[in-house]
Amino acid sequence: MTSTHRSYFDPRHRSDPAPWGFETSDYDKRKYTLTMASLPRAHYESAYEPGCSIGVLSEQLAQRCRKLIASDIVPELVERSTLRLQTLPHVAVELRAIPEQWPEGCFDLIVLSEIAYYFDASDLEHIMTLLSASTAPGAHVIAVHWRGSTDYPLSGDGAHLIIGCTPGLSHIVHHLERDFVLDVWERDL
């Protein structure tokens, strides 16, 4: 199966501005709380969150980052995130498609939340190569994904297996629930 085509996301957000209930679901509230609690450092210099959707997690990450780039491929979501985060001048919300438009710069935190399973194994491995090239030793990579059945190219568990096989990443946090898996890796020194 190939990576999920970008056209999959546009109609979902036109018919329902929050099709996955990011602001209201107990699942997401718990996931965000554990994501933030699992970050090994209190503060990060520069973070990147691809697939930010409406910016709910971005808003929380912004409290722990001196600079945050949040991106999405759906223009309406970028607009909503920009509105949500407009009072935070250290946050840039950008229209970007990864892996083609991976941002320049060096990050000490990259957050892959509910995005990696939309890619096929080859594309996710390419993303991990880009991620490795844009993180310094000691940087953290956090991934959290739904574990239930989907029609995406990868399962949450499968995506985490690929991420975890990336050379130069050491596994430091693993949290497994029936609904989601959360892992943190650190770039080797």
Side-chain angles (χ1 to χ4, degrees), residues 36 39 41-44 47 55-68 84-85 87-91 109:
M36 297 307 296
L39 293 175
R41 286 192 223 134
H43 298 285
Y44 290 87
V56 177
L57 181 58
S58 311
E59 190 171 32
Q60 295 176 43
L61 291 167
Q63 306 310 312
R64 306 261 302 261
C65 302
R66 191 179 69 73
K67 177 184 172 190
L68 171 65
R84 176 186 296 276
L85 304 167
T87 62
L88 304 170
H90 65 291
V91 178
L109 175 64

Side-chain angles (χ1 to χ4, degrees), residues 118-131:
Y118 291 118
F119 299 98
D120 62 27
S122 176
D123 282 346
L124 183 54
E125 288 167 357
H126 180 59
I127 288 166
M128 295 311 298
T129 299
L130 295 168
L131 181 150

Side-chain angles (χ1 to χ4, degrees), residues 31-82:
K31 181 183 68 176
Y32 297 147
T33 298
L34 288 168
T35 298
M36 297 307 296
S38 296
L39 293 175
R41 286 192 223 134
H43 298 285
Y44 290 87
E45 277 298 305
S46 183
Y48 178 45
E49 180 200 9
C52 70
S53 187
I54 60 174
V56 177
L57 181 58
S58 311
E59 190 171 32
Q60 295 176 43
L61 291 167
Q63 306 310 312
R64 306 261 302 261
C65 302
R66 191 179 69 73
K67 177 184 172 190
L68 171 65
I69 297 174
S71 70
D72 206 281
I73 61 171
V74 179
E76 291 86 354
L77 295 179
V78 170
E79 289 173 20
R80 288 190 63 199
S81 293
T82 300

Side-chain angles (χ1 to χ4, degrees), residues 27 73 114:
Y27 165 82
I73 61 171
E114 307 281 1

